[in-house]
Amino acid sequence: MSRLVLKFGGTSVGDVDRIKNVARKVEAEVQAGHQVAVVVSAMSGVTNQLVKYCNAIDPLHDAAEYDVVVASGEQVTSGLLAMALQSIGIRSRSWQGWQVPIRSDDTFGKARIADVGTDALLAAMAGGVVPVVPGFQGVTDGGRITTLGRGGSDTSAVALAAALKADRCDIYTDVDGVYTTDPRIVPAARKMNRVTYEEMLEMASLGAKVLQTRSVELAMNHGVRVQVLSSFEAAPGSDLPGTLVVSEDEIVEQEVVSGIAYSRDEAKITLRKVADRPGVAARIFGPLAAAAINVDMIVQNVSEDGRTTDLTFTVGRADLDRTNAVLETSKDDIGFDRLASDPTVVKISIIGVGMRSHTGVAQTMFKTLADEGINIQVITTSEIKVSVLIAEKYTELALRALHTAYGLDRT
Ligand code: ADP
Ligand code: ASP
Ligand code: MG
């Protein structure tokens, strides 16, 4: 007998029939003799709608009340699934985040889980009851509801699996595993049987939304065995080969580049003719940090006049208006001539632990993009990834060309 945490994403619980389908998957695992706890997302589209309501009331709404609103989607699904399980003879009940409790800090909108209470859930499971827990939500020490950032139900599931010492955490979604790149954009993408925590962490943080970044971090730190698989296949997770996220020593053969990710969440800012003197970078990025705006890629060039510099960097697209406002306010203090911003960019990243021991990997990327006539605007690298910023309209072309160039295409 194993202890399993099963998580079902938005599409997997998208309507009543799909919730009934999920109930049958849970039933199959229970009948195979496993102890099961379930984590559910909101029905697909619900969270987006709730976010829209908040923005329609006031774009500068209170973050704590935003969490009260958006956490409600998962509450609905948890109750519906518990009912669906009961109706096919499986004993089940829901536990809301505050009832478990899933305690978090009070960074409303992107809270971090501090710990997960296990007493009630373990007792329920031992007594043959399947607990259904809404993902995405937590509760502060002061008793207020929080949410864990978009895609946060993955993190709820992994945190629950770690706390319950589960043998596996199955993340059911609308694709049957983690692919070499987004299979919805590159039809030749290949499903990976295994991917390392390190690579999955990079892929997630560089845009592959199949797992929330924080969930991979937690899985890596707590050694949680995570499997990504499809809820649309007939078989349950214990019989189905999805993609396992594992440590490096469990991988036999390693590609140099194992995955390609993209992120459309970036916007590019260029400050022209910035005075070239010590301390100027601090005067630019200090006010942005104070406004809690994250800066990602940065590049500095000599201006046309040879005496000043041009500084280009990226911020989250959602932060673009605020960034422009902060920089205009600090213009005299920073000392620059002109500010230009461009939200129509995409960050494309190649990822692979094999990069540590191979040379020429980045060069292949640059040449492939050049051959397609795609201009690279910014480059950043780390030990196991190379990222480039290009015009958004080339997203598909670049992904497909790079996928072929690194020999990742399905044969
Ligand atoms: P859920 O609602 O189940 O949480 P998400 O929409 O958050 O599902 O994540 C699944 C989606 O992630 C897929 O439909 C796919 O388009 C996208 N995706 C992006 N990159 C990858 C990748 N490398 N492998 C698999 N899916 C990916
Ligand atoms: N419902 C939340 C979202 O759409 C959390 C999740 O689905 O993981 O972001
Ligand atoms: Mg998701």
Side-chain angles (χ1 to χ4, degrees):
M1 185 196 75
S2 300
R3 182 175 296 158
L4 307 175
V5 171
L6 315 181
K7 179 259 173 178
F8 296 91
T11 322
S12 306
V13 294
D15 58 33
V16 165
D17 283 337
R18 286 191 177 161
I19 292 174
K20 288 181 177 170
N21 169 59
V22 163
R24 281 187 292 273
K25 287 204 173 294
V26 175
E27 178 188 33
E29 297 291 22
V30 169
Q31 280 176 353
H34 303 305
Q35 266 194 7
V36 177
V38 185
V39 174
V40 285
S41 286
M43 296 163 82
S44 57
V46 167
T47 310
N48 287 346
Q49 182 59 56
L50 295 170
V51 171
K52 274 191 204 148
Y53 289 147
C54 296
N55 290 332
I57 292 281
D58 180 0
L60 299 176
H61 49 250
D62 175 15
E65 296 305 340
Y66 165 92
D67 280 357
V68 171
V69 176
V70 300
S72 66
E74 271 72 7
Q75 173 163 340
V76 172
T77 331
S78 66
L80 291 175
L81 180 60
M83 284 177 202
L85 285 165
Q86 291 167 7
S87 72
I88 55 171
I90 305 278
R91 291 167 63 212
S92 176
R93 70 152 272 198
S94 65
W95 267 266
Q96 301 308 300
W98 57 272
Q99 292 169 320
V100 174
I102 298 175
R103 286 200 320 106
S104 79
D105 65 16
D106 60 2
T107 327
F108 296 102
K110 45 176 183 243
R112 281 169 77 97
I113 294 177
D115 62 67
V116 178
T118 54
D119 294 352
L121 302 189
L122 285 174
M125 290 163 87
V129 173
V130 174
V132 183
V133 176
F136 193 41
Q137 43 171 269
V139 62
T140 66
D141 285 340
R144 299 219 63 181
I145 291 173
T146 57
T147 62
L148 310 176
R150 296 306 304 269
S153 295
D154 299 328
T155 300
S156 310
V158 172
L160 206 62
L164 295 173
K165 300 191 169 45
D167 297 279
R168 205 175 64 235
C169 181
D170 280 348
I171 307 280
Y172 284 90
T173 181
D174 55 5
V175 284
D176 60 355
V178 178
Y179 279 70
T180 44
T181 191
D182 190 339
R184 297 194 193 284
I185 295 205
V186 182
R190 243 189 308 124
K191 188 177 125 187
M192 298 190 251
N193 295 325
R194 285 158 185 254
V195 59
T196 64
Y197 289 117
E198 289 83 355
E199 287 167 322
M200 194 62 238
L201 193 59
E202 290 283 1
M203 284 183 67
S205 71
L206 294 167
K209 65 171 184 161
V210 61
L211 288 176
Q212 198 199 31
T213 308
R214 179 76 186 127
S215 74
V216 187
E217 220 168 68
L218 268 183
M220 183 155 99
N221 292 342
H222 295 271
V224 176
R225 232 175 149 69
V226 172
Q227 177 175 226
V228 176
L229 68 173
S230 165
S231 66
F232 298 98
E233 307 272 336
S238 294
D239 304 332
L240 202 72
T243 298
L244 272 181
V245 189
V246 298
S247 53
E248 233 173 282
D249 51 11
E250 286 189 64
I251 302 249
V252 193
E253 228 177 287
Q254 194 59 56
E255 311 267 6
V256 178
V257 168
S258 53
I260 306 179
Y262 69 97
S263 167
R264 291 189 170 117
D265 295 338
E266 314 254 327
K268 183 180 78 165
I269 307 265
T270 303
L271 295 179
R272 302 243 182 252
K273 295 197 181 170
V274 181
D276 196 6
R277 55 170 191 265
V280 75
R283 274 201 294 280
I284 295 168
F285 296 117
L288 294 179
I293 294 169
N294 273 329
V295 173
D296 181 15
M297 311 170 98
I298 304 178
V299 58
Q300 190 176 352
N301 289 323
V302 178
S303 293
E304 282 163 41
D305 63 15
R307 281 177 285 118
T308 55
T309 75
D310 286 349
L311 203 103
T312 299
F313 56 91
T314 62
V315 296
R317 220 177 262 190
D319 290 333
L320 182 57
D321 291 344
R322 277 196 314 132
T323 306
N324 284 331
V326 168
L327 291 172
E328 289 295 353
T329 310
S330 321
K331 183 170 181 182
D332 290 341
D333 186 42
I334 299 168
F336 61 88
D337 183 41
R338 206 155 47 80
L339 184 164
S341 57
D342 181 4
T344 61
V345 289
V346 63
K347 181 171 70 174
I348 309 258
S349 308
I350 54 168
I351 297 130
V353 288
M355 261 184 235
R356 290 195 194 114
S357 47
H358 286 77
T359 55
V361 182
Q363 175 53 22
T364 302
M365 182 179 209
F366 306 151
K367 176 151 192 332
T368 304
L369 296 175
D371 288 348
E372 298 292 346
I374 299 172
N375 184 41
I376 299 174
Q377 305 178 10
V378 186
I379 303 171
T380 56
T381 64
S382 77
E383 204 186 15
I384 66 165
K385 65 119 191 196
V386 182
S387 301
V388 296
L389 195 73
I390 62 173
E392 186 180 12
K393 63 181 176 195
Y394 296 125
T395 308
E396 299 191 1
L397 178 62
L399 284 176
R400 288 178 189 176
L402 291 169
H403 201 264
T404 304
Y406 286 107
L408 296 174
D409 287 355
R410 192 152 30 108
T411 43

